[in-house]
Amino acid sequence: MITKEHFIDFITEYQNFDKAIERLEIAISGKKYGCNLFESDWYESVARMFDVFLESFFTDDGQDVITWWLFEDVDHIIWQKTDPDLFNGKSEIEYNVNDIEDLWNYLFKYKEDYLND
């Protein structure tokens, strides 16, 4: 199983790589979106390595949550419905996962659903 530190390091470095690609595109073309290095062979190799990383440590649902967190420009809030019990009716729990550490804590809390053994 992957550790919290390795997860945070990997995701952070992947984000740094993406930002570097964007800066390189601007340096080459002189403007944003002037060229597309994200379709280059070497970027595709990194993307495949990223996929191998995700598949090695996370379930399909875990992979979906991580890619949503990385690539969707939204407020990263997860709403989870709870079943009613003897004392409480049905309700929703809000998980704010805007921070990478909070994302890890959420994934780890529900590791049966999101992490591979």
Side-chain angles (χ1 to χ4, degrees):
M1 180 180 348
I2 190 168
T3 66
K4 177 181 182 177
E5 293 76 20
H6 287 143
F7 172 76
I8 290 172
D9 288 346
F10 187 89
I11 296 298
T12 301
E13 290 305 319
Y14 185 80
Q15 290 175 310
N16 291 340
F17 179 75
D18 263 8
K19 290 174 189 170
I21 295 297
E22 289 174 2
R23 289 191 309 272
L24 187 57
E25 286 181 338
I26 292 169
I28 289 171
S29 67
K31 58 186 175 181
K32 195 168 187 167
Y33 308 115
C35 68
N36 189 356
L37 296 177
F38 289 100
E39 293 181 9
S40 65
D41 292 344
W42 52 274
Y43 185 83
E44 288 295 321
S45 292
V46 170
R48 284 190 298 276
M49 286 187 281
F50 182 74
D51 290 342
V52 168
F53 165 78
L54 289 180
E55 291 166 3
S56 296
F57 296 106
F58 300 95
T59 64
D60 288 344
D61 289 338
Q63 294 171 47
D64 288 345
V65 171
I66 294 166
T67 55
W68 163 78
W69 188 89
L70 276 170
F71 302 116
E72 295 296 324
D73 188 19
V74 297
D75 196 20
H76 293 113
I77 304 293
I78 297 173
W79 292 91
Q80 191 170 49
K81 293 183 179 182
T82 61
D83 292 328
D85 59 24
L86 184 61
F87 302 103
N88 301 300
K90 203 172 203 175
S91 65
E92 288 187 332
I93 300 172
E94 175 183 317
Y95 294 96
N96 181 333
V97 295
N98 282 300
D99 181 79
I100 185 72
E101 193 164 328
D102 293 331
L103 174 62
W104 170 261
N105 292 336
Y106 173 79
L107 293 169
F108 194 76
K109 181 174 184 168
Y110 299 101
K111 61 185 171 187
E112 300 81 24
D113 297 325
Y114 298 123
L115 277 75
N116 289 333
D117 291 53

